[in-house]
């Protein structure tokens, strides 16, 4: 696998965005990809857990919404933390859907970003979590690398879906 060259000061991170609202997802994915990250979208809890299984320890951040198809955001966080206990997570609280009771079930180390939020607020929250998360992967020459390419990830997900009888 070859090295991925990023603009000066950029660091490649693998981020999963779990949200059923395509407008919000498009905004988040666009911003984080502009910042040089590999960002993958999961519409439902099953896709998010499959992505996390494929990316594994190379997953640097999960951004989860109040609700995804098949689970609430807190349940999804619990499922993923069983497999990846150190995974940094940013919880997005939807207007009218997130409740104090739901938010009280969040792990103590999961910050909440409330809608509506700006690009700067999202970048600051994600950046803070990425800074305290896993170290940047580099090749033998110190160049940031893409541990998992978009193309290989699609192949792994397709294979996993076929094996599970989901295709």
């Amino acid at each position: 696998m070859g090295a991925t060259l990023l603009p000066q000061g950029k660091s490649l991170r693998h981020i999963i965005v779990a949200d059923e609202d395509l407008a919000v997802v498009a905004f988040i994915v666009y911003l984080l990809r502009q910042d040089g990250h590999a960002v993958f979208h999961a519409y439902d809890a099953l896709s998010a857990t499959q992505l996390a299984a494929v990316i594994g320890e190379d997953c640097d951040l999960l951004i989860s919404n109040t609700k995804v198809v098949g689970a609430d955001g807190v349940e999804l966080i619990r499922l993923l933390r069983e497999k990846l206990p150190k995974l940094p997570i940013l919880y997005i609280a939807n207007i009218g859907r997130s409740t104090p009771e739901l938010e009280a079930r969040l792990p103590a180390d999961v910050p909440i970003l409330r809608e509506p939020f700006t690009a700067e607020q999202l970048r600051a929250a994600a950046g803070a979590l990425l800074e305290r998360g896993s170290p940047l992967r580099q090749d033998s020459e110190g160049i940031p690398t893409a541990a998992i390419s978009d193309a290989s990830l699609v192949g792994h997900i397709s294979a996993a879906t076929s094996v599970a009888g989901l295709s």
Side-chain angles (χ1 to χ4, degrees):
M1 199 171 322
T4 300
L5 298 177
L6 299 170
Q8 186 68 20
K10 301 281 182 162
S11 55
L12 174 70
R13 302 298 183 136
H14 295 94
I15 301 170
I16 298 172
V17 178
D19 195 327
E20 62 186 23
D21 184 335
L22 295 180
V24 172
V25 168
F27 174 70
I28 294 171
V29 169
Y30 175 77
L31 287 175
L32 297 176
R33 283 186 177 165
Q34 273 202 319
D35 290 345
H37 303 298
V39 185
F40 306 97
H41 170 236
Y43 177 76
D44 58 21
L46 178 60
S47 298
T49 55
Q50 287 177 334
L51 277 167
V54 170
I55 298 170
E57 293 296 321
D58 286 327
C59 188
D60 298 298
L61 177 64
L62 168 72
I63 299 175
S64 179
N65 198 333
T66 302
K67 177 86 174 113
V68 294
V69 174
D72 67 40
V74 176
E75 177 65 14
L76 176 60
I77 289 168
R78 186 191 63 73
L79 289 170
L80 292 179
R81 280 280 175 90
E82 286 177 3
K83 305 289 184 199
L84 300 167
K86 296 180 181 179
L87 178 64
I89 298 171
L90 176 62
Y91 178 82
I92 296 178
N94 296 98
I95 296 173
R97 291 175 73 184
S98 189
T99 64
E101 296 79 21
L102 186 65
E103 292 173 14
R105 295 177 26 222
L106 286 168
D109 67 334
V110 175
I112 298 171
L113 180 63
R114 298 193 184 284
E115 290 183 341
F117 53 85
T118 66
E120 293 77 23
Q121 290 169 323
L122 174 67
R123 284 181 165 132
L129 288 166
L130 290 169
E131 283 299 314
R132 74 176 197 205
S134 60
L136 180 65
R137 289 163 302 284
Q138 298 178 347
D139 68 10
S140 60
E141 297 173 13
I143 298 173
T145 61
I148 299 172
S149 69
D150 286 347
S152 69
L153 186 66
V154 169
H156 287 299
I157 294 295
S158 296
T161 302
S162 295
V163 169
L166 301 171
S167 57

